[in-house]
């Protein structure tokens, strides 16, 4: 009979995923080993195997949870917009703020999503990519509702990618506690959406 999981099991998994994401970001997924992750966690490789049977399993759990989290952020913004009766532009602006608030504490997870999805097995990769497509589709809907005269069927994908281009790569240059906070940068993105650089 299998031993029951302790109440701390999920908490420990979250800690492992945080550490693994840092290892993957610092060393690259291919170079980082289970030994590296275990050492960074302050535990043995044998203990790490109690939670994950491979580095690939860690990567999948990391990306599976993170893409679910991004979809949850969208759902929370939709619920907030409905509850507060926000107009479509205000709802989009809230989505930008919510994404950047999430990115502030998940930079290494986001880096793994952008760089390491390719290393998943085919079925796992497709699941993660499907969720990414769902995120893009949701943001595209927000954009079309917010700017119906500007965002059309012909240009909606480039416009959505332009927005993602502004926010997705913040993990490479925007640092918590730096001269520009994530919240301040969110307002810069909102201003750019509303007025461009000339407004």
């Amino acid at each position: 009979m299998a031993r029951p999981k302790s109440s701390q099991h999920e908490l420990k998994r979250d800690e492992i995923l945080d550490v693994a994401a840092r290892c993957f970001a610092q060393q690259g997924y291919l170079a980082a080993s289970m030994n590296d992750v275990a050492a960074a966690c302050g535990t043995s490789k044998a203990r790490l195997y109690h939670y994950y049977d491979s580095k690939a399993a860690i990567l999948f759990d990391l990306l599976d949870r993170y893409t679910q989290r991004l979809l949850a952020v969208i759902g929370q913004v939709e619920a907030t917009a409905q509850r507060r009766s926000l107009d479509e532009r205000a709802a989009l602006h809230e989505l930008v703020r919510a994404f950047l608030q999430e990115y502030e504490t998940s930079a290494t997870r986001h880096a793994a999503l952008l760089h390491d999805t390719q290393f998943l097995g085919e079925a796992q990769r497709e699941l993660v990519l499907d969720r990414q497509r769902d995120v893009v589709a949701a943001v595209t809907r927000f954009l079309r509702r917010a700017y119906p005269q500007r965002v059309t069927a012909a240009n909606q994908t480039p416009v959505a990618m332009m927005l993602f281009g502004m926010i997705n790569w913040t993990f490479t240059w925007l640092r918590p506690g730096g001269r520009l906070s994530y919240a301040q940068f969110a307002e810069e993105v909102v201003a750019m959406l509303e007025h461009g650089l000339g407004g």
Side-chain angles (χ1 to χ4, degrees):
M1 177 188 260
R3 259 186 354 187
K5 292 181 180 178
S6 76
S7 61
Q8 298 299 308
H9 193 76
E10 285 304 308
L11 177 62
K12 186 64 177 176
R13 281 184 180 271
D14 286 341
E15 292 169 3
I16 292 168
L17 294 177
D18 284 340
V19 171
R22 285 196 300 273
C23 287
F24 298 160
Q26 290 166 359
Q27 300 172 240
Y29 174 74
L30 292 178
S33 67
M34 288 291 273
N35 279 331
D36 294 327
V37 175
C41 286
T43 191
S44 67
K45 190 163 84 166
R47 182 76 176 144
L48 185 60
Y49 277 112
H50 174 72
Y51 294 95
Y52 291 103
D53 62 8
S54 67
K55 184 174 70 167
I58 293 175
L59 179 63
F60 176 65
D61 198 21
L62 174 70
L63 298 181
D64 182 46
R65 290 177 187 225
Y66 185 58
T67 51
Q68 288 184 63
R69 174 66 192 142
L70 294 178
L71 290 171
V73 166
I74 293 167
Q76 290 163 2
V77 170
E78 288 173 331
T80 298
Q82 186 172 21
R83 188 176 65 251
R84 293 171 48 196
S85 300
L86 298 180
D87 67 32
E88 301 295 357
R89 286 191 182 185
L92 173 63
H93 301 165
E94 283 303 304
L95 184 63
V96 168
R97 292 179 184 113
F99 270 135
L100 284 164
Q101 183 179 11
E102 176 63 31
Y103 291 176
E104 183 173 10
T105 58
S106 59
T108 55
R109 290 173 188 251
H110 198 71
L113 180 63
L114 295 176
H115 296 304
D116 300 331
T117 302
Q118 63 181 315
F119 301 118
L120 295 173
E122 185 177 349
Q124 293 176 337
R125 184 171 59 249
E126 279 308 307
L127 186 150
V128 170
L129 290 175
D130 280 345
R131 290 211 190 108
Q132 285 183 287
R133 292 180 195 109
D134 289 343
V135 169
V136 171
V139 170
T140 302
R141 285 194 304 273
F142 273 80
L143 279 163
R144 286 197 70 171
R145 291 173 188 158
Y147 304 103
Q149 303 305 315
R150 180 70 180 86
V151 182
T152 65
N155 72 358
Q156 65 183 11
T157 300
V159 172
M161 291 302 104
M162 186 167 48
L163 174 56
F164 280 117
M166 284 193 283
I167 67 173
N168 270 5
W169 294 91
T170 50
F171 74 89
T172 65
W173 63 271
L174 186 59
R175 298 288 176 259
R179 289 171 56 183
L180 183 70
S181 71
Y182 275 74
Q184 289 168 326
F185 180 66
E187 297 312 314
E188 293 291 340
V189 174
V190 167
M192 184 75 77
L193 288 170
E194 282 292 289
H195 310 295
L197 285 175

